[in-house]
Amino acid sequence: MEEPIYVCKDTELVRKPKNPNKALYIIKVSLWIIMLVIIVMSLIFKENIMSSFTWQTDVLLIVTLVVVSYVSGEEVRVPSAIEIRFYKDYFEVYRDARYYSYTVTRRESNKFYYSDISKIEYRIPTQKIDIFGRGDFEWFNYRKDGSLPEKPTYHRKVDGLCYFYKNPNSTVDYKALFEKYSPIKVLISEV
């Protein structure tokens, strides 16, 4: 196996629910499904289904939906380990364990050959690094017991996007890093 020229170990910021309560999540999804069914049925029957409820029921449903969505939807950004491994012809964005949802935490390896990258953009206001191009994406979703499957959950070579949010406490200058260890010039965006 090829040895990397340089490995940058850092932390990125990942969005996680502030209140990771599965019951609230189930209630929120159920209420949104009920509202969606009411709207679809109103469109199909060309009659306002909500008018058949008492006004107290309407208010209770809407207030409950708003409160549960707000409480369960609050997110915080937490640090998560990330490695960028630079090789002779490509670089790899490696995450040992990245949180996506209540049920999905995955190990990721996103490999980009320098010749297949269309651009790398660093967005200053959001501290976001976007990598655009054709990549080799290999993901392993962790099982409930914390183990990894032998075969990847997802493995494709496609045109895609890989991004991460820079941790404000990080001292890594990603523009200088990519320009030093790869032939890619990083675009700076104020948007």
Side-chain angles (χ1 to χ4, degrees), residues 4 13 24 39 53 95 106 181 183 189:
L13 292 181
L24 274 177
I39 292 169
F53 301 147
R95 298 170 173 113
R106 71 172 58 125
Y181 293 104
S189 173

Side-chain angles (χ1 to χ4, degrees), residues 1-190:
M1 185 167 184
E2 187 178 358
E3 287 295 317
I5 297 168
Y6 182 76
V7 176
C8 173
K9 294 183 181 189
D10 199 13
T11 56
E12 66 175 324
L13 292 181
V14 178
R15 293 179 184 194
K16 263 190 157 177
K18 191 173 186 180
N19 301 315
N21 186 333
K22 198 162 190 167
L24 274 177
Y25 176 75
I26 291 169
I27 291 169
K28 179 175 87 170
V29 170
S30 301
L31 287 172
W32 277 108
I33 289 172
I34 290 169
M35 284 301 288
L36 186 63
V37 166
I38 289 171
I39 292 169
V40 168
M41 296 302 279
S42 294
L43 292 173
I44 290 173
F45 294 117
K46 297 181 182 169
E47 182 180 320
N48 185 357
I49 303 294
M50 292 287 284
S51 65
S52 62
F53 301 147
T54 64
W55 70 270
Q56 293 96 338
T57 307
D58 293 344
V59 169
L60 183 63
L61 180 63
I62 292 169
V63 167
T64 306
L65 181 63
V66 169
V67 168
V68 168
S69 292
Y70 177 75
V71 169
S72 67
E74 280 187 289
E75 293 181 332
V76 293
R77 291 194 178 189
V78 295
S80 180
I82 185 171
E83 287 184 16
I84 302 174
R85 302 171 180 167
F86 292 92
Y87 297 87
K88 181 181 175 189
D89 298 324
Y90 64 93
F91 70 88
E92 175 184 20
V93 177
Y94 176 80
R95 298 170 173 113
D96 188 50
R98 186 166 197 242
Y99 175 87
Y100 280 93
S101 70
Y102 295 108
T103 57
V104 178
T105 299
R106 71 172 58 125
R107 174 179 288 174
E108 290 184 4
S109 172
N110 303 318
K111 185 190 300 184
F112 292 91
Y113 282 88
Y114 301 132
S115 59
D116 294 336
I117 294 175
S118 55
K119 72 175 176 177
I120 297 177
E121 186 176 35
Y122 177 51
R123 298 174 184 224
I124 293 174
T126 58
Q127 297 289 297
K128 182 180 177 188
I129 293 92
D130 293 322
I131 303 165
F132 298 91
R134 184 165 184 78
D136 183 2
F137 301 93
E138 186 176 58
W139 305 338
F140 295 86
N141 288 0
Y142 282 93
R143 296 184 183 119
K144 288 183 181 180
D145 65 0
S147 65
L148 286 169
E150 289 184 26
K151 291 186 179 179
T153 310
Y154 179 88
H155 187 202
R156 301 278 189 287
K157 292 180 181 177
V158 294
D159 287 333
L161 163 71
C162 177
Y163 68 89
F164 56 94
Y165 289 92
K166 181 181 176 186
N167 188 336
N169 299 327
S170 172
T171 58
V172 176
D173 180 356
Y174 285 102
K175 180 181 184 322
L177 182 76
F178 278 102
E179 291 178 355
K180 180 176 181 181
Y181 293 104
S182 77
I184 309 298
K185 297 293 178 204
V186 177
L187 302 172
I188 302 293
S189 173
E190 296 290 337

